[in-house]
Amino acid sequence: MNTLTTYDGTIERTLYRDDEIAAAIERLGGDIARDFSGQPLLLLGVLKGALYVVTDLARAIAAHPNGPSETVVDYMCVSSYGNATRSSGEVRLLKDTSETVTGRNVVIVEDIVDNGLTLEYLHALMAERNPASLRSCVLFDKPYHRKVDVPVEYVGLICPDAFVVGYGLDYQELFRNLPYLAELQPWVFAA
Ligand code: 5GP
């Protein structure tokens, strides 16, 4: 349980403003729309962190006239951090996809990749189901502590080597609804 009652005074610095995030998603949407032009696409958002990325990305893809023939959005839910600020390395699947993956063009949409274990787990899980194609898109990349060499075809923005919150990313379930990406004041972790 956290004891915070307000976000006032909790933010150390803003790393990416909302307009910078929107521009990155627009670019990713354009890249994906071009790559899947005329083909059906299944976007698989990884909850909870990717809740905003996947919806904004789906709309960015729709903004392109020569994009996919259809775009279906679905979700998985995983837990890898619990309430800590470093990944446990143990990924738990809390909710599987509702859509069938077999034979589809699948793009896994993640909020952030750090050591890569979460994405590797999801990539392997989806690959077993024989999709027509399988790619990954992450909005934020922390490339400093990768433990596995997982392919990421679409990368939005590079993050500093810090624990970050906002735009879907939480600390103890808080801060997801910040429209920007931020670093927290150190005292927050002790609160
Ligand atoms: P990985 O398995 O690549 O280390 O971490 C992936 C997952 O850990 C992400 O989906 C995200 O939920 C969480 N994560 C990694 N880095 C951060 C961070 O800086 N802040 C937050 N809030 N979550 C993170």
Side-chain angles (χ1 to χ4, degrees), residues 77-157:
C77 191
V78 300
S79 159
S80 54
Y81 267 34
N83 280 333
T85 59
R86 283 240 73 96
S87 176
S88 60
E90 183 195 321
V91 186
R92 283 192 304 141
L93 185 67
L94 304 178
K95 182 209 170 291
D96 205 338
T97 61
S98 305
E99 292 289 320
T100 302
V101 163
T102 308
R104 314 274 291 267
N105 294 312
V106 175
V107 175
I108 299 171
V109 182
E110 257 278 46
D111 49 0
I112 193 165
V113 58
D114 183 11
N115 63 34
L117 291 171
T118 307
L119 202 50
E120 184 190 55
Y121 168 85
L122 293 171
H123 197 276
L125 189 69
M126 293 304 126
E128 273 173 16
R129 300 177 187 182
N130 296 315
S133 66
L134 181 59
R135 295 186 178 187
S136 299
C137 173
V138 300
L139 180 57
F140 301 112
D141 186 6
K142 291 200 294 191
Y144 320 99
H145 304 285
R146 257 327 176 275
K147 288 189 178 155
V148 285
D149 188 20
V150 61
V152 184
E153 287 79 7
Y154 307 101
V155 176
L157 298 161

